Structure formats: C-alpha cells, structure tokens
Amino acid sequence: MAVIQDVLKDKVIVITGTTSGIGKCMAQVFAQQGAKVVGSGRRENLGEEVAAGIRAKGGDSIFIRTDATDPDQVRNLIDTAVTHYGRLDMLVNNCAWEPQILLKDLTWEQYQKVMNTNLGSYVMATVNALHYMIPQHYGRILNINSVTMEQIVPGVGVYSMAKAAVHNLTKTVALEYARDGIRCNEICPGLIRAGAFEDPKNVEWAKDSIENGTPVPRLGEPEEIAYAALYLLSDKADFCNDATLFVDGGRRLI
Ligand SMILES: NC(=O)c1ccc[n+]([C@@H]2O[C@H](COP(=O)([O-])OP(=O)(O)OC[C@H]3O[C@@H](n4cnc5c(N)ncnc54)[C@H](OP(=O)(O)O)[C@@H]3O)[C@@H](O)[C@H]2O)c1
C-alpha cells in the first residue's frame, strides 16, 4: 500500500486560526508531513498547546498570538515566521467568525468584524506573504472558503458575502502571481465537525439538515479538509491554480 509521507518536508507554512477545529487539525497533519508550522490565533494557551503537541511528536512548530483583524499583527505574524524559519513557502488562510445575525439586525460594528475576520485578514496575510514569496519565486496560498460562498443560509449572509469575496481573492492571486511561481487555490467545506459543530447539541439541532440536506448524509471530519489541503499544497498539485475544491458531501446540490 502506498504511504503518504513527507509531502511537505521542510516547507515553512503559516496557518491562521490553529487554536481549534480545522486549523488545528491542518497544523497537526502538515507537521506529520514534515512542514515547519507557524500557528496563530488569539487564544494563546490553546495555540501553544497545539504547537507543543506537535513538538512532542518530533515535529517543528511555533505559535504566534495574532488577532487577525489587526493588520499590524498580521504583518508581525508573517515577518516573525520568516525571521524564525528563514523563508515562507505556504500560507493557509483559515480563521473565521460566523455569527448568526439576520441582515435586518446587523450593526456596522458586527459587519466590520465579520469582514475583517473572514476577508480582511485573508487579504492582508496574502499581501504580506506575497512580499516574501515573489522574490523567492515560490509560494502556495490556500484559502479555506465555504460552501456558503454560493449557498446562502438565513442568518449567515454577511459571512457568505465575505466568503464570496474570498473566491475573488483566490482568483486575483492565481492570475496576478502564477508567473512568480505562486499558486492560489481554495477549499469549500460543507458541514464539518469543527467550530459550532464540535458541540453535540448543535449537531443534534442540525440533524435534519445534515441528514436530508447533504447527499452524503453525515458531517465531514476536519481530517477530510486537512488531507484535501495537503494535496493542494503539495508539488503534485503544481498545475492547480484557482482550483475550488468542494469537500461538502455534495451539499450544494440540494
Ligand atoms: N466547521 C464547518 O462546518 C465549516 C464549514 C464551512 C467552512 N468552514 C471554514 O473552515 C475554517 C475553519 O473553521 P472551523 O470550523 O475550524 O472553526 P473554529 O474551530 O471556530 O476555528 C476558527 C479559528 O479562527 C480563529 N479566529 C477567529 N477569529 C480570529 C481573529 N480575530 N484573529 C485570529 N484568529 C481568529 C480562531 O482562533 P481564536 O479564537 O483563538 O482567535 C480559531 O482558531 C473557516 O474558514 C470556516 O469558515 C467551516
């Protein structure tokens, strides 16, 4: 049987939002595959725990406390990764905030926080990463998007708007920087056992939607996103640029 091994050997990779969920799982899987993982997020104790867990298994990882809505902290994240490891090969934009707010109730402050977390942080991390990737003529940028970029659900409209814009961010990078050795792709998860769905009460609440709203009638697992990401970051996906990989059990079909 073929074994997946060392797919990201010695690649320096920054991930936003490694303190929980899909980001945490990606950090662990990428480190198992030989990457030097720079994790980030606001909950320092959780992020340090993830990085320490990776080091305890012989991997290489640091955590940099970052509020991704603050462009200075995002710049610091990218700069510190390069100072520590000497280069930056890959960026995975993953952090998110998905509040349940009907459009009629939305405040300007909530709008700004949703946009800054789900879009602004992706844009500014990308801009700062490009400054290092272009001169080295190598870079892989992966955006964790969502099936909701095209499937609107009541109460998460503003999050969906930000995710739709991430789709065009992916296109912009893929078009403008391919000749600089940079590839940009995105993954659109469906309902995954992470974030709100880490809580069994929410899974029970969404049972009908999970079972009847998805052709594959179950939640996806964070590892199923991490391995899709592993492929898109690997050199085997060198001809993928502006790829959108739905990992959603076919959810958008219903
Ligand atoms: N779970 C799903 O069903 C699902 C479905 C579709 C798409 N997705 C996408 O998958 C990605 C991961 O989501 P998840 O489900 O794993 O959610 P999660 O467990 O809630 O993780 C979100 C991560 O984002 C970080 N984050 C949030 N606000 C931040 C900020 N201001 N600054 C820095 N980090 C921040 C959090 O860290 P701190 O709180 O420590 O800052 C956390 O590590 C997101 O892009 C989400 O849109 C998830």
Side-chain angles (χ1 to χ4, degrees):
M1 197 177 78
V3 176
I4 302 175
Q5 209 173 11
D6 290 342
V7 172
L8 299 179
K9 191 158 176 47
D10 294 332
K11 298 291 189 204
V12 178
I13 178 162
V14 168
I15 309 174
T16 63
T18 54
T19 56
S20 60
I22 293 168
K24 174 180 170 178
C25 182
M26 287 194 291
Q28 293 165 335
V29 168
F30 298 168
Q32 275 165 16
Q33 292 296 325
K36 300 171 194 296
V37 177
V38 180
S40 64
R42 294 162 303 176
R43 290 170 294 173
E44 197 161 13
N45 52 343
L46 294 179
E48 291 288 5
E49 215 173 89
V50 173
I54 288 171
R55 292 194 297 271
K57 290 186 172 165
D60 194 346
S61 183
I62 58 170
F63 174 80
I64 300 166
R65 192 195 176 280
T66 307
D67 183 338
T69 63
D70 176 347
D72 291 336
Q73 293 189 36
V74 173
R75 186 175 350 101
N76 176 64
L77 168 64
I78 302 293
D79 288 349
T80 308
V82 175
T83 305
H84 189 85
Y85 285 118
R87 58 184 282 124
L88 174 65
D89 297 299
M90 299 173 176
L91 166 68
V92 178
N93 287 310
N94 165 77
C95 71
W97 184 50
E98 186 184 354
Q100 295 283 327
I101 309 166
L102 287 172
L103 199 57
K104 69 180 176 58
D105 301 323
L106 186 73
T107 65
W108 176 241
E109 288 69 28
Q110 288 165 333
Y111 169 79
Q112 285 182 314
K113 189 174 169 192
V114 171
M115 285 297 169
N116 289 341
T117 308
N118 300 294
L119 176 61
S121 73
Y122 282 41
V123 173
M124 294 320 295
T126 299
V127 168
N128 286 287
L130 286 172
H131 292 162
Y132 291 105
M133 289 174 173
I134 292 169
Q136 71 194 15
H137 204 80
Y138 182 90
R140 299 288 178 267
I141 297 177
L142 179 66
N143 294 324
I144 305 301
N145 203 327
S146 170
V147 71
T148 57
M149 78 162 181
E150 60 176 44
Q151 188 184 54
I152 308 299
V153 179
V156 293
V158 186
Y159 167 85
S160 300
M161 291 177 215
K163 290 297 194 181
V166 166
H167 186 57
N168 275 3
L169 169 65
T170 306
K171 288 185 178 304
T172 304
V173 177
L175 180 65
E176 287 186 4
Y177 303 103
R179 284 166 197 239
D180 294 296
I182 294 161
R183 308 279 177 272
C184 186
N185 297 296
E186 66 184 356
I187 290 177
C188 294
L191 302 185
I192 308 297
R193 200 181 309 281
F197 292 116
E198 245 170 320
D199 183 342
K201 281 201 295 288
N202 290 335
V203 177
E204 186 54 33
W205 175 80
K207 196 171 185 296
D208 181 55
S209 171
I210 293 165
E211 291 181 358
N212 298 317
T214 314
V216 179
R218 63 168 175 83
L219 281 180
E221 299 297 329
E223 275 209 343
E224 294 179 292
I225 305 302
Y227 278 97
L230 188 63
Y231 166 65
L232 285 174
L233 292 171
S234 77
D235 288 347
K236 300 295 180 203
D238 201 25
F239 202 50
C240 290
N241 191 35
D242 185 37
T244 299
L245 178 50
F246 285 90
V247 185
D248 67 340
R251 187 168 176 80
R252 72 201 179 285
L253 299 173
I254 292 185

